[in-house]
Amino acid sequence: IWLKENENQMQNLQNPVFNDLLELSLRLENKANLYQKLAYQALANIILGKMRSLNSETVAINFLLEDKIKNSSGKDTTLLNQWLQTVRDKTYQSQKNLEKAESYLVILNRSSSGKDAYGNYLKIQEELSKARAGFLGNLTFQREIFREVEK
């Protein structure tokens, strides 16, 4: 609607002067920056939400595994506890990456241009990529722990 109104206004100018065109151009540029920033904010929030969910699932599985290991009767659980500790360590590091990405989101929300927002969005992506790699690496350990406990 906003774009259509400005397009109509521009077409209705019979004999526009440079200042008229400059004003319209600035309005369009400001709106473009706003839309770029909104797009990066939306994408970052969606990805952050998915990573938070993955984090919650990882933590829940860790608690489940901890109980299963404690209830393992007649087994040497030293190795399983070491694996579980490795998973906890990786989870902690991934959570730190998540927190760093969230701090970049705060900066992205304050950015004044689409270019600044894009730079912060790239930083968010980088941190979330690290977090995702850690969470996915945990799945391998968690599967192995489940297999060993179920034997």
Side-chain angles (χ1 to χ4, degrees):
I1 296 174
W2 181 89
L3 186 60
K4 188 68 175 162
E5 288 173 2
N6 277 285
E7 185 180 323
N8 289 341
Q9 183 182 8
M10 193 165 67
Q11 289 174 356
N12 290 337
L13 292 174
Q14 298 296 335
N15 200 7
V17 294
F18 180 73
N19 285 340
D20 293 335
L21 297 174
L22 185 61
E23 181 185 330
L24 285 171
S25 174
L26 287 173
R27 274 195 254 158
L28 289 171
E29 187 177 328
N30 288 337
K31 274 297 185 187
N33 277 333
L34 175 66
Y35 288 138
Q36 275 184 322
K37 181 179 167 183
L38 286 173
Y40 292 128
Q41 286 172 323
L43 289 171
N45 278 305
I46 290 168
I47 298 169
L48 267 165
K50 290 180 183 270
M51 287 297 113
R52 287 181 190 121
S53 176
L54 192 54
N55 176 51
S56 296
E57 290 174 21
T58 300
V59 170
I61 292 170
N62 287 348
F63 282 120
L64 179 65
L65 286 173
E66 189 175 326
D67 286 342
K68 283 197 168 282
I69 290 171
K70 283 180 186 174
N71 295 329
S72 291
S73 56
K75 289 185 179 182
D76 181 15
T77 58
T78 306
L79 181 61
L80 297 177
N81 281 315
Q82 288 173 350
W83 284 355
L84 186 57
Q85 186 57 48
T86 299
V87 170
R88 285 187 193 120
D89 292 344
K90 285 185 174 189
T91 300
Y92 176 77
Q93 184 56 51
S94 293
Q95 288 169 338
K96 288 295 173 191
N97 292 119
L98 255 176
E99 289 171 11
K100 203 169 182 182
E102 288 169 340
S103 71
Y104 286 130
L105 180 61
V106 170
I107 296 168
L108 185 150
N109 290 338
R110 293 181 187 154
S111 38
S112 58
S113 73
K115 184 178 177 183
D116 291 341
Y118 178 69
N120 288 306
Y121 176 72
L122 290 179
K123 291 175 185 176
I124 292 168
Q125 273 189 321
E126 182 181 337
E127 291 303 321
L128 293 179
S129 178
K130 292 175 190 175
R132 182 178 180 269
F135 290 136
L136 294 179
N138 283 343
L139 289 175
T140 303
F141 277 106
Q142 289 171 332
R143 270 190 234 123
E144 283 303 312
I145 295 169
F146 267 120
R147 286 185 189 130
E148 289 297 318
V149 169
E150 298 298 320
K151 283 184 181 178

